[in-house]
Amino acid sequence: MRPRRAATRGVKKRYTEDPLAFVDGEDDPVAIPDDQSADGDFDAQAEVVQDEDDDIDDGDASSDDGAGQQPAAEAGKASAAQPRRHRNAGAGMIQSRRGYHDIPQYPLETRIVTRVYAGPLRRYARYSALRDSMYGPEYQRIKIIWDLENRWTDFPLLPPKLPPDDPQGIAPSPWVPAGFELSQERSAYHWYDEYQISCPEVQRSHIVSSKHLQQLLSRAEGGGLATLIGPWEGQQQLTLNSGEGFALTTSGVPPTESSNEKMNGWMFDVGGIPLAVAWAPLSRRSSQVLAVASIPFADQELEGSREKSVTGVPDTTGCIQFWEFTSDGREEGMATPSRSPPKLLATKFFDWGRPKRLQWCPVPLDSTGIYGVLAVLSGDGRARIVEVRNIDPNNTHYEWVESSTVNLSTANDYNVNVTCLTWTSTNRIALGHSDGSITLWSVYPVKMLQRVNVHSTYVIDICSGYPSSPYLVASIPVGGCATLTDLSQPSSETTYFPVPAITFQPNMLCWSESMQGFMALYPSSTPTTTVAFLHHRFFCQARSTITGPNSVTCISAGSSHPFILVGSADGSVYSCNALQKLFRQKGDPLKKIKIFEHEYRPIDNPATQPNGTSTAQLRGAVRVLHGFLPEINDDPRTEKRKEIDRKKRLERKKQQVGKRKGRGKKNDGPDVDLDDREAEIDDRLASRVVTHEPLTRITAVAWNPNQRFSCWAACAMGSGLIKIMDLGVE
């Protein structure tokens, strides 16, 4: 008799186990009650067809007995009396309860991926299956996302400039209870009132004297910028000095006294590199305030080219600017930019180091007489909370902040700094640290509530799911896997995207309230320019949303709509409807649009140009182009693969036509249209590796979170310019 082969022969090892199947000679199986054994959903699966290996083994055993073949009747009785044997195709061999459980060795081959997703949501799921898996199974949640998709189905590129009562207008979050915003404002008002009464440390500051003002202002070296703006066929050249700005019409030029053209936004120069921008949450104002964290240009220049490298002493002075923008004064409907130029309200100086990040408390506090509470991450590795009180718009205030309201840091840990921050509510803020941990703090009273070891390296970005999921915190390390942690149950509720990546760029993680997920750079072990959507229930499975032409530098998602802004290193800003991309039908031609393109050129020799024009008062020149046509919202690699497949199909079709005619069809040469299309895709793929001037890049983008102003967006450029645009479509 031949020895029986192992039951796992030829079976690919997996890392999940099937239910155990007991055979004769082993321990008695666990008794199952009758009411639980009958399951109608699994009747079809219970009829398992016997494996081919088992058939061969049984046949070999019967032929080796020497007793000949059994009659058919006896064979039928034997098969009926003996239960059918099932093979366990699990990860290892489970012989019996007295045996052993053989766990496969961890593969040493690096090409074998062991971090895989094996949940209910399949990669190929589309439309209704994807919608039901992500947002179901509750009918109410499925209906909400279905209504949101239908609401903006006619707007594939930019958000509608329509109020919430319009069937296609912007919409407040449907994922929170009714009256949630008002209750948050009421709670914030009482919290701030109590804080003002009993806060142990009040923020101290004083007005900067005119004598020291010029020493503190981070003005750009060399003067202003030669700016080319307007339509591409007839651009205008203007000189924009540091601290100045002007309004823009829909054609991209400043308005004239006699023009009746509609206003579209503003442009101004902050005199430094704007690393971060944030809109103040204001619910009862007709004007908007933008906070800008900027650093001098010398901080990011090569060593030895500036005076800083000679002295060796870094400048620890930082500043934050506050700019005001007014609407046209209408109280109803969506706000429209006015003709008034932007106004620099105030500049706050401090000696904590350069500002790296800033973020307003998401709950409006303008009812308490302040613009809001601002969290600032400074160069000394600490996070500070600063009050920003109402400022007289008629005069610009220059203020030196001696001490902040709250100082957050892990001072007891050696060489552990705060690297990123995000608000989770009015009185809660989460911080990322250089040791890979995440902490949750109470602002008042100041106390660390918990600390979770999430990563093993520097946390470069962090974002919470406020307002609907405030304690869901996504974090991205410098090297490792993007992780989602529930701070209400951090020891058990955590997940991560299974592909490790290396990330050095902040401002590439944000929460989309309409879609209930995070927007981030697609986690990949190779360089990519694709932005992905990670739903909070299926964080480990990413869905591509938009692909940029160059390295992505910043991302922003709207709070009242599903449209996203993506800035790139080549100075371009793109927009698309992310919700429509998520639920697209097969074959639907989805689009994206380039809103504008920014290009910067420095002046290496500030003497005179060949035409005799003096450039001694200029630090460089910029060009801003707009008016681009929509493009196909797809990855160029996918498009190239489609074109190659299409080319092969046409060649096969020509060959088949020639065979049916009885003669070989002569090759008429390559298809010119297909070759041109393929060459165009190759150019788009090559643009990803093009190196641009560092100050050409888009450093930060931000949608306005306030409902009436939710179509306004701020785009900061490395040259020092910031452009405010009303992107609503009427």
Side-chain angles (χ1 to χ4, degrees):
M1 180 176 179
R2 293 175 55 188
R4 182 178 176 81
R5 288 173 290 181
T8 57
R9 178 179 178 181
V11 178
K12 186 178 180 180
K13 293 185 178 180
R14 300 184 300 171
Y15 297 95
T16 58
E17 296 181 357
D18 293 341
L20 301 181
F22 296 95
V23 298
D24 292 344
E26 297 182 346
D27 294 341
D28 295 332
V30 180
I32 301 176
D34 296 337
D35 56 346
Q36 297 183 7
S37 61
D39 193 345
D41 296 338
F42 296 92
D43 288 343
Q45 300 180 9
E47 299 177 0
V48 180
V49 180
Q50 192 173 7
D51 295 326
E52 295 179 2
D53 293 342
D54 294 341
D55 294 338
I56 298 175
D57 293 339
D58 294 340
D60 294 340
S62 61
S63 61
D64 294 340
D65 288 341
Q69 297 182 352
Q70 295 180 352
E74 295 180 4
K77 292 180 180 180
S79 61
Q82 184 176 4
R84 182 170 297 172
R85 185 173 302 170
H86 302 286
R87 186 192 330 190
N88 178 24
M93 296 187 303
I94 301 176
Q95 301 293 342
S96 68
R97 295 185 186 180
R98 298 185 300 270
Y100 60 90
H101 183 188
D102 185 13
I103 300 177
Q105 295 181 356
Y106 192 86
L108 300 180
E109 177 60 48
T110 58
R111 293 176 297 178
I112 300 178
V113 178
T114 57
R115 299 185 182 96
V116 295
Y117 168 75
L121 181 61
R122 300 305 178 189
R123 186 66 189 170
Y124 52 80
R126 291 290 183 271
Y127 203 59
S128 59
L130 178 64
R131 179 196 62 205
D132 296 344
S133 298
M134 277 191 174
Y135 300 92
E138 298 86 357
Y139 172 76
Q140 185 62 28
R141 296 180 60 89
I142 296 177
K143 184 178 183 302
I144 289 176
I145 197 65
W146 174 266
D147 293 341
L148 292 179
E149 181 189 1
N150 294 333
R151 189 181 187 92
W152 295 301
T153 187
D154 295 333
F155 300 91
L157 304 174
L158 296 171
K161 195 174 181 179
L162 300 172
D165 54 0
D166 191 276
Q168 292 184 321
I170 58 102
S173 175
W175 306 102
V176 296
F180 175 82
E181 292 83 359
L182 294 178
S183 64
Q184 288 289 299
E185 290 187 36
R186 191 179 302 108
S187 301
Y189 177 84
H190 294 299
W191 169 82
Y192 183 77
D193 189 34
E194 182 181 357
Y195 156 76
Q196 285 290 318
I197 295 174
S198 56
C199 184
E201 183 179 359
V202 181
Q203 177 175 314
R204 296 189 301 269
S205 61
H206 65 269
I207 302 299
V208 179
S209 63
S210 58
K211 179 180 179 180
H212 301 98
L213 182 59
Q214 295 300 327
Q215 301 176 2
L216 296 175
L217 290 176
S218 58
R219 298 306 189 192
E221 299 183 10
L225 283 171
T227 308
L228 297 174
I229 56 176
W232 64 272
E233 69 276 4
Q235 288 197 311
Q236 301 181 12
Q237 179 176 345
L238 301 173
T239 300
L240 190 59
N241 296 319
S242 177
E244 297 180 356
F246 47 77
L248 295 175
T249 61
T250 54
S251 59
V253 296
T256 59
E257 296 180 358
S258 59
S259 66
N260 295 326
E261 193 173 358
K262 190 175 180 181
M263 306 307 298
N264 184 256
W266 300 269
M267 181 183 290
F268 58 96
D269 184 11
V270 298
I273 302 177
L275 297 183
V277 295
W279 292 95
L282 304 173
S283 60
R284 297 176 177 85
R285 296 177 184 267
S286 59
S287 60
Q288 297 296 288
V289 176
L290 182 72
V292 181
S294 62
I295 62 174
F297 293 101
D299 287 4
Q300 294 190 0
E301 291 189 354
L302 296 177
E303 292 292 336
S305 62
R306 292 294 176 184
E307 184 179 348
K308 168 188 170 182
S309 61
V310 177
T311 60
V313 179
D315 192 355
T316 59
T317 302
C319 72
I320 298 176
Q321 301 179 9
F322 299 90
W323 292 78
E324 183 185 42
F325 312 93
T326 59
S327 62
D328 57 0
R330 291 185 301 175
E331 298 295 337
E332 298 180 357
M334 303 297 291
T336 302
S338 66
R339 300 171 66 93
S340 302
K343 173 66 177 178
L344 177 60
L345 289 177
T347 301
K348 292 184 180 294
F349 299 96
F350 43 82
D351 59 355
W352 313 323
R354 307 298 192 197
K356 297 181 178 180
R357 315 279 182 88
L358 54 83
Q359 187 176 359
W360 294 90
C361 174
V363 182
L365 289 169
D366 49 349
S367 60
T368 61
I370 63 175
Y371 288 120
V373 178
L374 185 65
V376 181
L377 175 61
S378 53
D380 61 355
R382 298 186 178 187
R384 291 174 172 85
I385 310 297
V386 179
E387 292 182 27
V388 183
R389 299 183 178 275
N390 290 347
I391 304 170
D392 184 10
N394 298 324
N395 299 313
T396 302
H397 294 258
Y398 297 96
E399 182 181 5
W400 180 272
V401 181
E402 300 176 6
S403 63
S404 60
T405 303
V406 177
N407 189 346
L408 305 176
S409 66
T410 55
N412 297 330
D413 294 350
Y414 174 73
N415 201 23
V416 176
N417 299 324
V418 181
T419 58
C420 50
L421 53 87
T422 181
W423 290 88
T424 60
S425 64
T426 305
N427 193 30
R428 297 289 184 271
I429 186 170
L431 306 178
H433 298 271
S434 57
D435 63 346
S437 63
I438 294 177
T439 58
L440 181 65
W441 292 77
S442 169
V443 177
Y444 171 74
V446 181
K447 184 178 181 181
M448 182 193 295
L449 302 179
Q450 59 178 319
R451 187 171 187 175
V452 186
N453 293 324
V454 180
H455 304 284
S456 59
T457 58
Y458 187 105
V459 182
I460 192 69
D461 226 336
I462 189 173
C463 181
S464 72
Y466 182 88
S468 58
S469 302
Y471 289 102
L472 291 181
V473 175
S475 56
I476 297 178
V478 170
C481 300
T483 304
L484 179 64
T485 306
D486 187 356
L487 293 183
S488 61
Q489 297 179 347
S491 61
S492 59
E493 295 297 333
T494 180
T495 184
Y496 60 90
F497 191 83
V499 178
I502 297 177
T503 306
F504 297 107
Q505 180 67 37
N507 298 331
M508 291 197 298
L509 178 65
C510 61
W511 168 261
S512 177
E513 178 65 18
S514 302
M515 301 177 62
Q516 291 290 285
F518 296 89
M519 296 292 176
L521 188 68
Y522 201 106
S524 175
S525 56
T526 58
T528 180
T529 61
T530 301
V531 177
F533 169 72
L534 299 97
H535 193 271
H536 75 277
R537 294 174 61 181
F538 298 94
F539 190 83
C540 49
Q541 186 177 121
R543 301 278 171 159
S544 61
T545 302
I546 186 174
T547 301
N550 204 269
S551 300
V552 178
T553 56
C554 49
I555 306 170
S556 179
S559 60
S560 302
H561 52 73
F563 295 85
I564 62 173
L565 292 175
V566 178
S568 302
D570 63 349
S572 61
V573 177
Y574 279 83
S575 174
C576 75
N577 187 340
L579 184 59
Q580 193 178 70
K581 174 69 173 179
L582 179 64
F583 294 122
R584 70 181 182 93
Q585 293 278 15
K586 186 177 181 179
D588 289 348
L590 298 183
K591 301 288 185 178
K592 62 182 178 183
I593 188 171
K594 182 191 292 187
I595 299 176
F596 73 90
E597 183 179 278
H598 166 258
E599 184 179 4
Y600 172 80
R601 288 291 182 269
I603 298 179
D604 297 331
N605 185 14
T608 57
Q609 296 294 334
N611 57 2
T613 304
S614 175
T615 60
Q617 300 300 323
L618 297 177
R619 69 174 186 267
V622 298
R623 180 178 63 177
V624 179
L625 295 174
H626 69 280
F628 296 91
L629 296 176
E631 306 174 15
I632 298 295
N633 187 11
D634 203 351
D635 193 334
R637 293 176 298 180
T638 305
E639 295 183 40
K640 184 173 183 179
R641 186 166 57 249
K642 291 180 180 179
E643 291 298 328
I644 294 176
D645 294 342
R646 181 184 175 190
K647 200 172 185 179
K648 292 180 180 179
R649 287 196 302 268
L650 290 177
E651 292 178 356
R652 288 196 300 266
K653 186 176 180 181
K654 290 180 181 180
Q655 294 176 0
Q656 293 176 0
V657 171
K659 290 180 180 180
R660 285 197 298 266
K661 292 182 178 180
R663 64 181 184 276
K665 189 176 181 63
K666 294 183 179 181
N667 187 9
D668 297 334
D671 195 327
V672 179
D673 294 336
L674 290 178
D675 292 342
D676 293 343
R677 175 62 177 165
E678 190 172 346
E680 179 184 353
I681 297 175
D682 291 337
D683 293 340
R684 293 173 58 188
L685 288 171
S687 67
R688 298 182 174 188
V689 296
V690 175
T691 303
H692 297 268
E693 179 69 29
L695 298 185
T696 296
R697 72 187 188 275
I698 305 297
T699 57
V701 291
W703 284 106
N704 195 316
N706 303 315
Q707 187 170 294
R708 289 190 64 242
F709 303 86
S710 58
C711 294
W712 291 14
C715 300
M717 294 154 265
S719 62
L721 295 181
I722 295 182
K723 189 175 183 181
I724 309 298
M725 301 170 291
D726 183 6
L727 299 178
V729 178
E730 296 181 352

